């Protein structure tokens, strides 16, 4: 064997050995990949049923002899299952955030210490960012559980320490004991004494020298001067501005039934109902005009809810019909464009055919001229050829006129459809803008709500970063608002919020912005205002609210608020400035309330 043959043989064996090494190497890699996929699929189980099924199928495919075909068929299904699982996970996360935020918001409605309210507000600001991580959920729940425990402990402690009716009425525990002793004693009633065991309340002019004495019958006689309440409260005297008068108490249904029926009728009148539901609405209106008792209220509310849902479904149905019509018109529009394009193609084809025919006619003319032997034959041949050529030109002109006319009609129809679609789109844009504006208004106070606040805050911060200037942020909180609800009822609390909001909005400048942040909290933006000027403005607002003549059965009820003011400095974010204003508000609360603190 020659040296050249031996060299090629050695080279072949070396390549063969290298190929075997590569096969073993790739076999090892494939085995590692299979083992990794199997273990990864096992680790991923337990989160979603569809993903678990795909993982089990993946393990079966990987353990097979030829996994390529199985993987090619399984991967699209696995990808869809993973995307669906991620979408459901995000939905669950949003639901968890909404539920936890709602629970924290409910706790904030209580009269809580500063550190508990601060912890709840910090929890609200961080909950959305923290709950996106599954491992953070137990910590978030533990933190909320601790805050809830502190709030409820405070609430239970205040309930246990709350004085009883006799103690609140007579001003001290001794007064309650005196009344109880009067009830326990038994004696023969005198002609002018109250029955045994009863307490007599005597006007101050009848017993000016006594504060509490025992009657011959053993009953406790209490003068009005000995009570911690205003005598006008018990004698029915009234004073103050009726616009600021608070409700006497949470009234019974018989007292508020006409107002409930009137409110329901106004709501029914504002509903734009479909024709199918109008008879039902008319029947409900007659029931409301006839007066409602307590037992008819729930069915009436159920019927009204059905009508409201009908309006909502009608709006969605109208929008869906509009989208369907828009889709059909766009399809028609596209068909017209396709027809126009086909007509243009036909026109181009006619032009090409005409050019070919003219060239053929001209070629035949040249050939006739070259083959002509006499002048008369040439003349007849030329006339025949020219007549054919003129006839073809006239036919082409007619086709072109018909095509132009059809194209013009199509274009006119398209213009009309586009104009109609633009008009309908403008109507829907206007409706959407109206709905958007309604969604930015707080229904109780009529002020912008928190969503409108976030939108305006982002705009003002962006404007300041671009053009510079002063920008102040203030947080206001009505003092002891829970006491108003507990003492006079929630209707009184709502009236206080409406009147305070109206008083604040009336005294602000046009460039200022106020919104209801939530509960009894209001937030303000003061652009182009230095800190001292903003402080003076808030002081004027505080004094104006304090001077409002709220009264309850003749008793003067003073409503005040505390506020924190912070300025945007440097590149500070809105969250940082709000936190500083919130801290200033807590300092104002700790400092005695009814004051303004500057951050």
């Amino acid at each position: 064997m020659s040296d050249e043959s031996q060299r090629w043989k050695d080279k072949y064996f070396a390549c063969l050995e290298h190929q075997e090494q590569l096969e073993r190497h790739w076999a090892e890699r494939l085995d590692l990949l299979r083992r990794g996929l199997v273990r990864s699929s096992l680790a991923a189980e337990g989160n979603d049923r569809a993903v678990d099924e795909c993982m089990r199928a993946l393990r079966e495919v990987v353990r097979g002899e030829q996994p390529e075909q199985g993987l090619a068929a399984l991967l699209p299904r696995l990808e869809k299952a993973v995307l669906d699982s991620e979408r459901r996970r995000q939905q669950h996360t949003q639901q968890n955030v909404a539920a936890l935020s709602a629970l924290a918001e409910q706790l904030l409605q209580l009269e809580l210490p500063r550190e508990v309210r601060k912890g709840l507000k910090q929890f609200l600001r961080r909950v959305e960012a923290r709950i996106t991580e599954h491992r953070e959920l137990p910590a978030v729940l533990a933190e909320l559980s601790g805050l809830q425990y502190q709030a409820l402990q405070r609430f239970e402690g205040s309930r246990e320490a709350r004085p009883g009716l006799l103690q609140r009425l007579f001003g001290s525990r001794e007064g309650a004991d005196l009344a109880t002793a009067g009830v326990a004693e038994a004696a023969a009633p005198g002609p002018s004494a109250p029955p045994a065991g009863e307490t007599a309340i005597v006007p101050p002019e009848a017993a000016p020298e006594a504060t509490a004495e025992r009657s011959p019958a053993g009953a406790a006689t209490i003068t009005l001067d000995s009570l911690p309440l205003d005598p006008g409260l018990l004698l029915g005297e009234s004073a103050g501005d009726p616009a600021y008068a608070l409700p006497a108490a949470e009234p019974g249904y018989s007292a508020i039934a006409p107002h409930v029926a009137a409110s329901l009728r106004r709501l029914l009148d504002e509903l734009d109902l479909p024709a199918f539901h109008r008879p039902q609405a008319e029947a409900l209106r007659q029931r409301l005009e006839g007066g409602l008792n307590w037992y008819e209220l729930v069915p009436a509310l159920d019927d009204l809810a059905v009508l409201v849902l009908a309006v909502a479904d009608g709006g969605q149905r109208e929008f869906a019909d509009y989208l369907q019509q828009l889709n059909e018109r766009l399809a028609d529009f596209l068909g017209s464009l396709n027809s126009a394009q086909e007509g243009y193609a036909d026109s181009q084809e006619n032009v090409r055919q005409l050019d070919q025919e003219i060239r053929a006619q001209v070629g035949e003319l040249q050939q006739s001229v070259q083959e002509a032997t006499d002048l008369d034959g040439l003349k007849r041949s030329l006339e025949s050829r020219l007549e054919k050529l003129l006839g073809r030109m006239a036919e082409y002109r007619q086709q072109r006129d018909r095509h132009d006319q059809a194209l013009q009609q199509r274009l006119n129809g398209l213009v009309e459809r586009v104009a109609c679609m633009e008009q309908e789109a403008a109507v829907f844009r206007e409706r959407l803008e109206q709905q958007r504006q309604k969604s930015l208004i707080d229904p109780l106070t009529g002020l912008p709500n928190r969503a409108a606040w976030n939108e305006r805050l982002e705009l003002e911060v962006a404007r300041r970063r671009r053009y510079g200037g002063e920008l102040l942020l203030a947080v206001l909180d009505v003092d002891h608002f829970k006491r108003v609800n507990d003492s006079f009822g929630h209707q009184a609390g709502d009236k206080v919020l409406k009147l305070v909001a109206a008083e604040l909005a009336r005294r602000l400048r046009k460039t200022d912005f106020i919104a209801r942040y939530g509960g009894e909290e209001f937030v303000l933006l003061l652009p182009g205002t230095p800190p001292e000027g903003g402080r003076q403005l808030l002081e004027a607002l505080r004094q104006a609210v304090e001077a409002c003549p709220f009264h309850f059965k003749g008793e003067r009820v003073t409503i005040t608020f505390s506020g924190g003011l912070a300025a945007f400095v440097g590149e500070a974010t809105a969250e940082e400035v709000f936190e500083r204003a919130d801290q200033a508000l807590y300092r104002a609360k700790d400092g005695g309330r009814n004051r303004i603190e500057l951050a």
Side-chain angles (χ1 to χ4, degrees):
M1 181 180 295
S2 64
D3 295 338
E4 183 69 19
S5 299
Q6 184 65 34
R7 188 175 66 84
W8 280 106
K9 183 178 180 181
D10 295 339
K11 187 175 181 180
Y12 170 75
F13 284 126
C15 291
L16 184 62
E17 184 177 0
H18 180 67
Q19 181 66 28
E20 291 177 351
Q21 291 177 356
L22 289 178
E23 289 180 356
R24 289 194 298 271
H25 180 66
W26 284 110
E28 293 174 356
R29 286 190 176 183
L30 181 60
D31 183 61
L32 289 175
L33 179 61
R34 286 178 174 175
R35 292 165 60 188
L37 284 175
V38 170
R39 283 154 179 76
S40 300
S41 65
L42 291 173
E45 281 190 353
N47 294 323
D48 188 89
R49 182 179 299 176
V51 176
D52 292 346
E53 294 177 358
C54 292
M55 288 300 173
R56 285 194 290 270
L58 177 64
R59 289 195 294 272
E60 296 296 331
V61 170
V62 169
R63 288 166 179 165
E65 294 297 331
Q66 296 180 350
E68 294 84 0
Q69 297 179 355
L71 286 176
L74 179 62
L75 285 179
R77 176 186 166 194
L78 177 60
E79 182 180 2
K80 183 178 182 300
V82 170
L83 292 177
D84 293 342
S85 176
E86 178 64 19
R87 185 175 65 254
R88 287 192 293 269
R89 187 188 69 80
Q90 293 177 358
Q91 292 176 354
H92 294 162
T93 300
Q94 294 175 359
Q95 293 173 358
N96 292 336
V97 170
L100 294 175
S101 300
L103 182 56
E105 289 283 357
Q106 292 175 3
L107 291 176
L108 282 174
Q109 301 299 320
L110 303 176
E111 188 72 22
L112 302 175
R114 183 179 71 87
E115 59 274 8
V116 180
R117 293 184 67 85
K118 180 181 177 182
L120 285 171
K121 290 186 178 181
Q122 291 177 352
F123 175 82
L124 280 173
R125 283 193 286 270
R126 299 195 309 263
V127 63
E128 185 171 0
R130 293 177 59 189
I131 208 167
T132 53
E133 298 291 338
H134 285 293
R135 62 177 180 271
E136 290 289 332
L137 183 58
V140 171
L141 293 176
E143 181 180 353
L144 181 59
S145 176
L147 293 172
Q148 184 180 12
Y149 177 77
Q150 297 177 19
L152 294 180
Q153 282 293 104
R154 173 76 176 182
F155 182 67
E156 290 295 331
S158 63
R159 285 184 57 187
E160 292 173 1
R162 187 175 180 180
L165 174 62
L166 293 178
Q167 184 177 358
R168 283 182 286 160
L169 179 61
F170 296 104
S172 66
R173 183 65 185 172
E174 291 76 13
D177 295 339
L178 179 61
T180 306
V183 173
E185 293 184 7
S192 60
E198 293 189 1
T199 300
I201 298 178
V202 182
E205 61 274 9
E209 72 283 358
T211 57
E213 60 183 5
R214 191 167 304 282
S215 66
T221 303
I222 308 299
T223 65
L224 290 179
D225 289 340
S226 67
L227 300 180
L229 302 178
D230 185 3
L233 180 64
L234 297 177
L235 297 178
E237 299 176 358
S238 60
D241 188 354
Y244 292 87
L246 304 182
E250 292 289 343
Y253 180 73
S254 59
I256 64 172
H259 303 286
V260 173
S263 299
L264 295 180
R265 283 198 301 270
R266 286 195 299 269
L267 178 59
L268 188 61
D269 293 337
E270 293 178 0
L271 296 179
D272 187 11
L273 293 169
F276 178 76
H277 292 277
R278 288 175 186 171
Q280 183 180 358
E282 186 62 30
L284 178 59
R285 182 177 289 105
Q286 293 177 1
R287 289 163 56 191
L288 294 175
E289 291 176 353
L292 287 177
N293 56 38
W294 177 253
Y295 301 100
E296 294 176 342
L297 178 61
V298 174
L301 291 177
D302 291 339
D303 293 343
L304 185 60
V306 171
L307 296 177
V308 172
L309 291 177
V311 172
D313 293 341
Q316 294 178 356
R317 205 163 35 246
E318 181 181 359
F319 189 67
D321 293 341
Y322 168 72
L323 291 180
Q324 183 177 0
Q325 293 177 5
L326 180 62
N327 190 22
E328 294 175 355
R329 292 177 181 177
L330 288 176
D332 193 10
F333 186 79
L334 183 61
S336 299
L337 290 179
N338 291 333
S339 299
Q341 185 177 4
E342 292 175 359
Y344 177 76
D346 294 340
S347 177
Q348 292 294 106
E349 180 65 21
N350 291 334
V351 171
R352 188 181 62 80
Q353 291 180 0
L354 178 64
D355 181 69
Q356 292 178 355
E357 291 180 4
I358 290 177
R359 289 179 182 274
Q361 293 290 343
V362 171
E364 292 178 0
L365 283 175
Q366 291 178 351
Q367 185 178 2
S368 299
V369 170
Q370 292 176 358
E371 295 177 354
T373 56
D374 58 340
L375 186 59
D376 292 336
L378 178 60
K379 181 178 179 181
R380 288 192 299 272
S381 178
L382 289 176
E383 288 178 353
S384 175
R385 301 290 183 186
L386 288 175
E387 286 180 1
K388 292 181 179 180
L389 185 59
L390 292 175
R392 183 67 183 89
M393 291 296 296
E395 182 182 356
Y396 173 76
R397 189 178 297 110
Q398 292 177 359
Q399 291 179 354
R400 185 61 180 270
D401 291 341
R402 289 194 299 269
H403 176 266
D404 291 344
Q405 186 177 2
L407 182 61
Q408 185 64 35
Q409 292 177 355
R410 290 174 183 170
L411 290 177
N412 293 336
L414 290 177
V415 170
E416 292 178 358
R417 292 171 186 170
V418 170
C420 182
M421 291 166 62
E422 288 180 350
Q423 184 177 2
E424 292 180 356
V427 172
F428 274 92
R429 279 197 300 268
E430 183 179 358
R431 293 183 182 177
L432 291 175
E433 181 62 24
Q434 292 175 357
Q435 295 298 326
R436 193 185 76 86
Q437 292 298 331
K438 289 182 179 179
S439 67
L440 297 177
I441 298 298
D442 177 55
L444 177 63
T445 61
L447 295 178
N449 58 15
R450 190 166 179 174
W453 162 260
N454 293 332
E455 184 178 313
R456 181 63 177 269
L457 178 61
E458 182 180 357
L459 176 63
E460 292 293 345
V461 171
R463 183 178 298 165
R464 175 186 171 274
R465 288 179 178 174
R466 181 172 183 179
Y467 300 107
E470 302 280 354
L471 180 61
L472 302 180
L473 187 151
V475 182
L476 311 180
D477 187 271
V478 179
D479 297 328
H480 301 297
F481 182 72
K482 188 174 183 297
R483 293 184 184 177
V484 176
N485 285 333
D486 293 342
S487 302
F488 309 123
H490 292 281
Q491 287 188 344
D494 292 345
K495 189 171 184 180
V496 166
L497 289 179
K498 289 192 287 187
L499 293 174
V500 169
E503 191 72 20
L504 294 175
R506 184 170 62 88
R507 295 178 179 272
L508 289 176
R509 302 165 298 184
K510 292 184 178 180
T511 56
D512 300 333
F513 183 79
I514 183 173
R516 185 187 179 193
Y517 195 74
E520 67 273 19
E521 285 189 344
F522 299 90
V523 283
L524 278 76
L525 278 177
L526 308 175
T529 306
E532 186 58 32
R535 185 187 183 94
Q536 294 177 3
L537 175 60
L538 292 185
E539 284 290 344
L541 294 176
R542 183 190 62 78
Q543 295 172 7
V545 171
E546 186 179 11
C548 289
F550 295 102
H551 62 276
F552 171 69
K553 282 191 174 180
E555 178 187 5
R556 181 73 161 80
V557 180
T558 301
I559 302 297
T560 63
F561 70 82
S562 303
L565 182 65
F568 282 81
V569 179
E571 296 298 325
T573 63
E575 291 78 10
E576 295 171 349
V577 178
F578 189 94
E579 178 66 23
R580 290 168 48 219
D582 204 28
Q583 293 294 335
L585 172 63
Y586 282 124
R587 289 201 302 272
K589 293 283 188 181
D590 294 338
R593 292 183 169 85
N594 192 23
R595 56 188 298 167
I596 304 298
E597 286 288 339
L598 183 62

mmCIF file of all heavy atoms in Angstrom, residues 339-365:
data_model
loop_
_atom_site.group_PDB
_atom_site.id
_atom_site.type_symbol
_atom_site.label_atom_id
_atom_site.label_comp_id
_atom_site.label_asym_id
_atom_site.label_seq_id
_atom_site.Cartn_x
_atom_site.Cartn_y
_atom_site.Cartn_z
ATOM 1 N N SER A 339 -62.703 47.115 -6.432
ATOM 2 C CA SER A 339 -63.362 47.279 -7.745
ATOM 3 C C SER A 339 -62.696 48.382 -8.552
ATOM 4 O O SER A 339 -62.496 48.249 -9.771
ATOM 5 C CB SER A 339 -64.846 47.595 -7.533
ATOM 6 O OG SER A 339 -65.487 46.543 -6.845
ATOM 7 N N ALA A 340 -62.357 49.479 -7.860
ATOM 8 C CA ALA A 340 -61.670 50.566 -8.568
ATOM 9 C C ALA A 340 -60.319 50.109 -9.092
ATOM 10 O O ALA A 340 -59.908 50.466 -10.203
ATOM 11 C CB ALA A 340 -61.504 51.764 -7.628
ATOM 12 N N GLN A 341 -59.624 49.304 -8.257
ATOM 13 C CA GLN A 341 -58.342 48.805 -8.709
ATOM 14 C C GLN A 341 -58.506 47.859 -9.894
ATOM 15 O O GLN A 341 -57.724 47.910 -10.857
ATOM 16 C CB GLN A 341 -57.641 48.077 -7.546
ATOM 17 C CG GLN A 341 -56.233 47.615 -7.880
ATOM 18 C CD GLN A 341 -55.548 46.978 -6.699
ATOM 19 O OE1 GLN A 341 -56.165 46.817 -5.651
ATOM 20 N NE2 GLN A 341 -54.283 46.606 -6.857
ATOM 21 N N GLU A 342 -59.543 47.010 -9.830
ATOM 22 C CA GLU A 342 -59.791 46.128 -10.972
ATOM 23 C C GLU A 342 -60.156 46.931 -12.218
ATOM 24 O O GLU A 342 -59.735 46.616 -13.332
ATOM 25 C CB GLU A 342 -60.904 45.148 -10.610
ATOM 26 C CG GLU A 342 -60.522 44.141 -9.546
ATOM 27 C CD GLU A 342 -61.691 43.274 -9.138
ATOM 28 O OE1 GLU A 342 -62.793 43.494 -9.698
ATOM 29 O OE2 GLU A 342 -61.507 42.366 -8.293
ATOM 30 N N GLY A 343 -60.971 48.006 -12.026
ATOM 31 C CA GLY A 343 -61.314 48.851 -13.170
ATOM 32 C C GLY A 343 -60.083 49.520 -13.760
ATOM 33 O O GLY A 343 -59.953 49.658 -14.994
ATOM 34 N N TYR A 344 -59.179 49.951 -12.875
ATOM 35 C CA TYR A 344 -57.942 50.548 -13.369
ATOM 36 C C TYR A 344 -57.117 49.525 -14.133
ATOM 37 O O TYR A 344 -56.536 49.838 -15.197
ATOM 38 C CB TYR A 344 -57.154 51.111 -12.183
ATOM 39 C CG TYR A 344 -55.816 51.696 -12.577
ATOM 40 C CD1 TYR A 344 -55.736 52.938 -13.197
ATOM 41 C CD2 TYR A 344 -54.632 50.999 -12.319
ATOM 42 C CE1 TYR A 344 -54.509 53.471 -13.563
ATOM 43 C CE2 TYR A 344 -53.414 51.522 -12.670
ATOM 44 C CZ TYR A 344 -53.345 52.763 -13.295
ATOM 45 O OH TYR A 344 -52.132 53.295 -13.652
ATOM 46 N N ALA A 345 -57.079 48.286 -13.609
ATOM 47 C CA ALA A 345 -56.347 47.228 -14.321
ATOM 48 C C ALA A 345 -56.987 46.946 -15.682
ATOM 49 O O ALA A 345 -56.279 46.755 -16.692
ATOM 50 C CB ALA A 345 -56.309 45.960 -13.477
ATOM 51 N N ASP A 346 -58.344 46.914 -15.719
ATOM 52 C CA ASP A 346 -59.027 46.710 -17.006
ATOM 53 C C ASP A 346 -58.710 47.856 -17.966
ATOM 54 O O ASP A 346 -58.517 47.638 -19.181
ATOM 55 C CB ASP A 346 -60.536 46.611 -16.789
ATOM 56 C CG ASP A 346 -60.903 45.359 -16.007
ATOM 57 O OD1 ASP A 346 -60.077 44.427 -15.971
ATOM 58 O OD2 ASP A 346 -62.010 45.331 -15.416
ATOM 59 N N SER A 347 -58.672 49.076 -17.436
ATOM 60 C CA SER A 347 -58.355 50.223 -18.294
ATOM 61 C C SER A 347 -56.947 50.104 -18.864
ATOM 62 O O SER A 347 -56.713 50.381 -20.044
ATOM 63 C CB SER A 347 -58.503 51.514 -17.491
ATOM 64 O OG SER A 347 -58.136 52.632 -18.271
ATOM 65 N N GLN A 348 -56.008 49.693 -17.991
ATOM 66 C CA GLN A 348 -54.648 49.502 -18.476
ATOM 67 C C GLN A 348 -54.593 48.408 -19.552
ATOM 68 O O GLN A 348 -53.864 48.531 -20.551
ATOM 69 C CB GLN A 348 -53.736 49.120 -17.308
ATOM 70 C CG GLN A 348 -53.519 50.237 -16.293
ATOM 71 C CD GLN A 348 -52.751 51.393 -16.899
ATOM 72 O OE1 GLN A 348 -53.311 52.445 -17.190
ATOM 73 N NE2 GLN A 348 -51.465 51.185 -17.124
ATOM 74 N N GLU A 349 -55.377 47.353 -19.336
ATOM 75 C CA GLU A 349 -55.413 46.279 -20.322
ATOM 76 C C GLU A 349 -56.009 46.769 -21.644
ATOM 77 O O GLU A 349 -55.506 46.426 -22.735
ATOM 78 C CB GLU A 349 -56.227 45.107 -19.775
ATOM 79 C CG GLU A 349 -56.333 43.913 -20.713
ATOM 80 C CD GLU A 349 -54.983 43.246 -20.953
ATOM 81 O OE1 GLU A 349 -54.069 43.440 -20.116
ATOM 82 O OE2 GLU A 349 -54.848 42.553 -21.981
ATOM 83 N N ASN A 350 -57.066 47.591 -21.575
ATOM 84 C CA ASN A 350 -57.659 48.141 -22.808
ATOM 85 C C ASN A 350 -56.662 49.035 -23.538
ATOM 86 O O ASN A 350 -56.589 49.018 -24.780
ATOM 87 C CB ASN A 350 -58.921 48.932 -22.464
ATOM 88 C CG ASN A 350 -60.044 48.034 -21.982
ATOM 89 O OD1 ASN A 350 -60.096 46.850 -22.338
ATOM 90 N ND2 ASN A 350 -60.954 48.588 -21.173
ATOM 91 N N VAL A 351 -55.921 49.837 -22.757
ATOM 92 C CA VAL A 351 -54.905 50.692 -23.398
ATOM 93 C C VAL A 351 -53.846 49.837 -24.084
ATOM 94 O O VAL A 351 -53.405 50.149 -25.208
ATOM 95 C CB VAL A 351 -54.280 51.630 -22.337
ATOM 96 C CG1 VAL A 351 -53.070 52.361 -22.921
ATOM 97 C CG2 VAL A 351 -55.303 52.638 -21.853
ATOM 98 N N ARG A 352 -53.437 48.769 -23.423
ATOM 99 C CA ARG A 352 -52.418 47.907 -24.023
ATOM 100 C C ARG A 352 -52.946 47.247 -25.302
ATOM 101 O O ARG A 352 -52.238 47.190 -26.327
ATOM 102 C CB ARG A 352 -52.000 46.834 -23.009
ATOM 103 C CG ARG A 352 -50.804 45.995 -23.443
ATOM 104 C CD ARG A 352 -50.489 44.956 -22.383
ATOM 105 N NE ARG A 352 -51.601 44.044 -22.207
ATOM 106 C CZ ARG A 352 -51.845 43.000 -23.028
ATOM 107 N NH1 ARG A 352 -51.072 42.773 -24.085
ATOM 108 N NH2 ARG A 352 -52.875 42.212 -22.810
ATOM 109 N N GLN A 353 -54.198 46.745 -25.221
ATOM 110 C CA GLN A 353 -54.775 46.145 -26.427
ATOM 111 C C GLN A 353 -54.911 47.166 -27.551
ATOM 112 O O GLN A 353 -54.651 46.865 -28.725
ATOM 113 C CB GLN A 353 -56.135 45.540 -26.089
ATOM 114 C CG GLN A 353 -56.054 44.320 -25.194
ATOM 115 C CD GLN A 353 -57.427 43.762 -24.883
ATOM 116 O OE1 GLN A 353 -58.428 44.314 -25.354
ATOM 117 N NE2 GLN A 353 -57.477 42.678 -24.107
ATOM 118 N N LEU A 354 -55.336 48.393 -27.220
ATOM 119 C CA LEU A 354 -55.459 49.430 -28.235
ATOM 120 C C LEU A 354 -54.114 49.732 -28.885
ATOM 121 O O LEU A 354 -54.003 49.897 -30.120
ATOM 122 C CB LEU A 354 -56.043 50.697 -27.612
ATOM 123 C CG LEU A 354 -56.183 51.909 -28.547
ATOM 124 C CD1 LEU A 354 -57.177 51.607 -29.679
ATOM 125 C CD2 LEU A 354 -56.636 53.145 -27.766
ATOM 126 N N ASP A 355 -53.076 49.788 -28.072
ATOM 127 C CA ASP A 355 -51.741 50.047 -28.616
ATOM 128 C C ASP A 355 -51.312 48.935 -29.561
ATOM 129 O O ASP A 355 -50.752 49.202 -30.645
ATOM 130 C CB ASP A 355 -50.763 50.179 -27.452
ATOM 131 C CG ASP A 355 -49.351 50.478 -27.932
ATOM 132 O OD1 ASP A 355 -49.124 51.588 -28.446
ATOM 133 O OD2 ASP A 355 -48.476 49.591 -27.779
ATOM 134 N N GLN A 356 -51.589 47.680 -29.154
ATOM 135 C CA GLN A 356 -51.225 46.566 -30.036
ATOM 136 C C GLN A 356 -52.000 46.629 -31.346
ATOM 137 O O GLN A 356 -51.429 46.405 -32.438
ATOM 138 C CB GLN A 356 -51.491 45.239 -29.320
ATOM 139 C CG GLN A 356 -50.564 44.969 -28.144
ATOM 140 C CD GLN A 356 -50.894 43.676 -27.442
ATOM 141 O OE1 GLN A 356 -51.890 43.024 -27.781
ATOM 142 N NE2 GLN A 356 -50.065 43.297 -26.471
ATOM 143 N N GLU A 357 -53.308 46.930 -31.255
ATOM 144 C CA GLU A 357 -54.113 46.989 -32.482
ATOM 145 C C GLU A 357 -53.649 48.133 -33.374
ATOM 146 O O GLU A 357 -53.590 47.979 -34.622
ATOM 147 C CB GLU A 357 -55.583 47.161 -32.113
ATOM 148 C CG GLU A 357 -56.182 45.924 -31.446
ATOM 149 C CD GLU A 357 -57.648 46.122 -31.097
ATOM 150 O OE1 GLU A 357 -58.179 47.190 -31.452
ATOM 151 O OE2 GLU A 357 -58.248 45.211 -30.483
ATOM 152 N N ILE A 358 -53.334 49.282 -32.774
ATOM 153 C CA ILE A 358 -52.868 50.417 -33.611
ATOM 154 C C ILE A 358 -51.557 50.065 -34.292
ATOM 155 O O ILE A 358 -51.337 50.364 -35.490
ATOM 156 C CB ILE A 358 -52.726 51.674 -32.737
ATOM 157 C CG1 ILE A 358 -54.118 52.167 -32.317
ATOM 158 C CG2 ILE A 358 -51.975 52.773 -33.479
ATOM 159 C CD1 ILE A 358 -54.079 53.357 -31.393
ATOM 160 N N ARG A 359 -50.667 49.412 -33.545
ATOM 161 C CA ARG A 359 -49.395 49.006 -34.140
ATOM 162 C C ARG A 359 -49.626 48.012 -35.284
ATOM 163 O O ARG A 359 -48.957 48.072 -36.344
ATOM 164 C CB ARG A 359 -48.487 48.386 -33.071
ATOM 165 C CG ARG A 359 -47.948 49.386 -32.059
ATOM 166 C CD ARG A 359 -47.071 48.701 -31.019
ATOM 167 N NE ARG A 359 -46.590 49.651 -30.032
ATOM 168 C CZ ARG A 359 -45.489 50.394 -30.187
ATOM 169 N NH1 ARG A 359 -44.773 50.278 -31.301
ATOM 170 N NH2 ARG A 359 -45.113 51.251 -29.252
ATOM 171 N N ALA A 360 -50.578 47.072 -35.030
ATOM 172 C CA ALA A 360 -50.868 46.104 -36.098
ATOM 173 C C ALA A 360 -51.444 46.794 -37.327
ATOM 174 O O ALA A 360 -51.064 46.482 -38.472
ATOM 175 C CB ALA A 360 -51.833 45.040 -35.563
ATOM 176 N N GLN A 361 -52.370 47.757 -37.112
ATOM 177 C CA GLN A 361 -52.958 48.480 -38.235
ATOM 178 C C GLN A 361 -51.891 49.279 -38.992
ATOM 179 O O GLN A 361 -51.869 49.305 -40.239
ATOM 180 C CB GLN A 361 -54.052 49.412 -37.735
ATOM 181 C CG GLN A 361 -55.271 48.715 -37.157
ATOM 182 C CD GLN A 361 -56.091 48.013 -38.231
ATOM 183 O OE1 GLN A 361 -55.959 48.287 -39.437
ATOM 184 N NE2 GLN A 361 -56.930 47.064 -37.810
ATOM 185 N N VAL A 362 -51.012 49.934 -38.240
ATOM 186 C CA VAL A 362 -49.946 50.713 -38.896
ATOM 187 C C VAL A 362 -49.007 49.788 -39.675
ATOM 188 O O VAL A 362 -48.567 50.107 -40.787
ATOM 189 C CB VAL A 362 -49.174 51.533 -37.832
ATOM 190 C CG1 VAL A 362 -47.928 52.185 -38.461
ATOM 191 C CG2 VAL A 362 -50.071 52.598 -37.245
ATOM 192 N N GLY A 363 -48.715 48.622 -39.094
ATOM 193 C CA GLY A 363 -47.857 47.668 -39.807
ATOM 194 C C GLY A 363 -48.520 47.191 -41.088
ATOM 195 O O GLY A 363 -47.860 47.043 -42.128
ATOM 196 N N GLU A 364 -49.836 46.931 -41.014
ATOM 197 C CA GLU A 364 -50.543 46.524 -42.229
ATOM 198 C C GLU A 364 -50.573 47.649 -43.262
ATOM 199 O O GLU A 364 -50.496 47.385 -44.474
ATOM 200 C CB GLU A 364 -51.955 46.091 -41.854
ATOM 201 C CG GLU A 364 -51.998 44.802 -41.045
ATOM 202 C CD GLU A 364 -53.413 44.422 -40.637
ATOM 203 O OE1 GLU A 364 -54.334 45.188 -40.999
ATOM 204 O OE2 GLU A 364 -53.601 43.374 -39.970
ATOM 205 N N LEU A 365 -50.685 48.888 -42.776
ATOM 206 C CA LEU A 365 -50.636 50.018 -43.712
ATOM 207 C C LEU A 365 -49.301 50.078 -44.424
ATOM 208 O O LEU A 365 -49.229 50.281 -45.666
ATOM 209 C CB LEU A 365 -50.895 51.330 -42.969
ATOM 210 C CG LEU A 365 -52.339 51.631 -42.602
ATOM 211 C CD1 LEU A 365 -52.418 52.907 -41.766
ATOM 212 C CD2 LEU A 365 -53.204 51.786 -43.856
#
